[in-house]
Amino acid sequence: MHNILFVDDEKCILDSLTAVLRKEPYNIITAESGSEALEVLENESVAMIISDVLMPGMDGIELLKRASELSPHSIKILLSGFSEVEMIIEAINSGLLWRYLLKPWNNDDLVMTIRSGIDYYQLNMDNLKLLEELKFKNEELENLNQNLEEKVQQRTYILKNYNDLLIQLLDGIPINTFLHNIVDFLSYILCTKHISLIIPGETSYNTYSSSEIKNSEALTKVINVVQVTNDNYYENGISAIPITHNGIIYAIVIYNSTDDIYINNDSIFETLTIILRIALQRYRLVDKTEHLISDIDKLLEECH
């Protein structure tokens, strides 16, 4: 239900205006002065303001000027006598008025004017709502396009790295260089520079990293848990993601993290598993039963 504010310093006028609209579907609010009307506007949403022109303290023109700041979309109508034509013209020229009505008013004309004004107000509100929705949709579309572009760039980067890694396998570069390149690739994917790639052996671990993890006890515990569970794990600021195939852990990605978040991108890590399997088998780091052997350090020395 729309609120309509009547403003007049004569209570009998307010009562008459209210009586005319008693059968209309509006909520009527009355004020006997400009200052009282402004208090209403500070606390209520008002669709229409109908004010007398001549009032003590603050006239109708000044009221509508100040009301335009508090309630810019309200429909504004002045009630005036023939002697106030110049003030009405001033209000019209300043863009304050939607309509004006002469005293004494005709009840039917008053009702029709108010109905028309409320319809106009509602149309404006509907248009504003549509514009806001359109603005939101445009922003949403812009964000989607930006996200899509970022995803395409990321996907292109990932595919290029896959290709580079496979070429490196064919070229037979040293295994330690190859594994460090995988660490750099993971650093981009996980959005952090603090990555370690753990290659678990039967008796020890070999680490390829861009940043060593200092908490050795937490690191050992994380690795042991991951080896048992074959699943992502987080503890004491360290996150771990196993790279596995058929129950065998080919490597564990370790990184410093303050959030308890598991990062899981099956397609990326499945592809890395394939690349690591090829690399480890090529460099004799996996025996025929696909179990990791323990003399990784010795073989790495032979690669130099």
Side-chain angles (χ1 to χ4, degrees), residues 15 24 38 46 70 74 117 128 144 160 170 173 185 210 252 279:
D15 292 340
E24 297 297 315
L38 293 178
V46 174
L70 295 173
S74 296
L128 288 173
L144 287 173
K160 180 181 182 302
L170 293 175
I173 68 170
F185 179 39
S210 55
I252 302 173

Side-chain angles (χ1 to χ4, degrees), residues 142-183:
E142 184 177 347
N143 290 334
L144 287 173
N145 288 335
Q146 183 176 352
N147 291 337
L148 179 60
E149 183 177 351
E150 291 174 355
K151 288 181 180 179
V152 169
Q153 291 176 351
Q154 184 184 48
R155 185 61 179 167
T156 301
Y157 177 88
I158 290 173
L159 290 174
K160 180 181 182 302
N161 274 271
Y162 285 160
N163 185 61
D164 291 345
L165 290 171
L166 291 173
I167 290 174
Q168 291 169 17
L169 285 176
L170 293 175
D171 290 343
I173 68 170
I175 183 64
N176 58 337
T177 301
F178 178 80
L179 292 176
H180 279 301
N181 290 341
I182 289 185
V183 168

Side-chain angles (χ1 to χ4, degrees), residues 167-216:
I167 290 174
Q168 291 169 17
L169 285 176
L170 293 175
D171 290 343
I173 68 170
I175 183 64
N176 58 337
T177 301
F178 178 80
L179 292 176
H180 279 301
N181 290 341
I182 289 185
V183 168
D184 291 339
F185 179 39
L186 288 168
S187 297
Y188 172 83
I189 294 173
L190 298 177
C191 301
T192 174
K193 296 181 180 178
H194 307 293
I195 296 290
S196 292
L197 185 71
I198 310 296
I199 305 295
E202 293 180 358
T203 59
S204 63
Y205 308 105
N206 288 268
T207 304
Y208 300 85
S209 66
S210 55
S211 176
E212 295 295 335
I213 297 175
K214 297 180 180 180
N215 191 341
S216 59

